[in-house]
Amino acid sequence: MAELVFGMNQSLDGYVDHTAFAPGPKLFRHFIEEVKGQTGSIYGRRMYEIMRYWDDEHPEWDDAERAFAAAWRKQPKWVVSRTLKSVGPNATLVEDDLAGAIRQLKAERDGEIEVAGPELAHSLTGLGLIDEYRIYLHPVVLGQGKPYFAGSRPPLRLMTSDRMGEEVIRLTYVPA
């Protein structure tokens, strides 16, 4: 049975914003390896549209960015949306019965499936489907934005904390 993992970069004050801060080289390499090892990813519409950036080639990319793009493209993706009519390569649209579709996905697969996006994670948390939360805590204060937890924080138990490069700490939690 697959495990659902919600992990994102987060500011000290609890916000996620890919335009405000980015992973350094060591953390980015970690994300490349993580994507290579995952069974797939589940996206909400907004996060999927952001990540579609990796579907196109960009001549200015360095080797790490090309490696991430290659891993991302190979990975199966499931996109939860009622408004999208189609999705890109290696992606499946999930339009109805979120709980049933994700339970079936977990039952049919082994390994780790990434959950991408705070709002989707909030919905899946409410359904009791997320198995692990990973917060990549950056020493940045944003003061506003989209919070990592889209609703009230579920009861969690800290499992590990790891330094990820010089400035980032990964906090790993499981539901309590």
Side-chain angles (χ1 to χ4, degrees), residues 158-163 169-172:
L158 179 65
M159 298 303 291
T160 62
S161 61
D162 306 291
R163 285 189 74 125
I169 297 173
R170 177 181 60 193
L171 302 169
T172 303

Side-chain angles (χ1 to χ4, degrees), residues 14-168:
Y15 297 106
V16 296
D17 184 345
H18 73 282
T19 64
F21 56 91
K26 185 175 181 179
L27 183 56
F28 193 63
R29 281 191 302 278
H30 164 77
F31 288 143
I32 293 167
E33 294 308 312
E34 201 168 67
V35 170
K36 285 180 180 179
Q38 291 170 334
T39 298
S41 291
I42 305 169
Y43 291 95
R45 179 191 54 81
R46 284 189 275 299
M47 185 59 67
Y48 177 68
E49 289 174 342
I50 290 169
M51 293 301 290
R52 291 286 313 264
Y53 167 81
W54 298 103
D55 273 337
D56 300 322
E57 288 295 325
H58 296 268
E60 71 278 7
W61 280 351
D62 62 21
D63 289 342
E65 289 165 316
R66 280 192 282 289
F68 183 87
W72 189 81
R73 290 174 192 150
K74 288 172 82 174
Q75 184 185 74
K77 298 163 216 42
W78 297 272
V79 182
V80 177
S81 176
R82 291 188 185 107
T83 58
L84 289 176
K85 299 301 175 213
S86 65
V87 290
N90 212 12
T92 302
L93 188 58
V94 177
E95 297 175 275
D96 299 311
D97 187 19
L98 176 64
I102 302 307
R103 282 188 181 100
Q104 181 178 353
L105 186 61
K106 284 181 75 167
E108 292 176 350
R109 305 281 175 147
D110 290 317
E112 183 177 290
I113 299 174
E114 172 196 30
V115 173
E119 291 174 21
L120 175 61
H122 176 67
S123 296
L124 295 174
T125 295
L127 295 167
L129 293 173
I130 296 194
D131 300 292
E132 187 172 289
Y133 299 81
R134 293 182 191 150
I135 297 171
Y136 293 86
L137 193 61
H138 290 252
V140 175
V141 175
L142 299 180
Q144 63 182 354
K146 186 173 291 286
Y148 178 92
F149 290 104
S152 60
R153 184 183 60 81
L156 299 174
R157 182 168 39 103
L158 179 65
M159 298 303 291
T160 62
S161 61
D162 306 291
R163 285 189 74 125
M164 306 296 292
E166 292 183 25
E167 296 185 336
V168 176

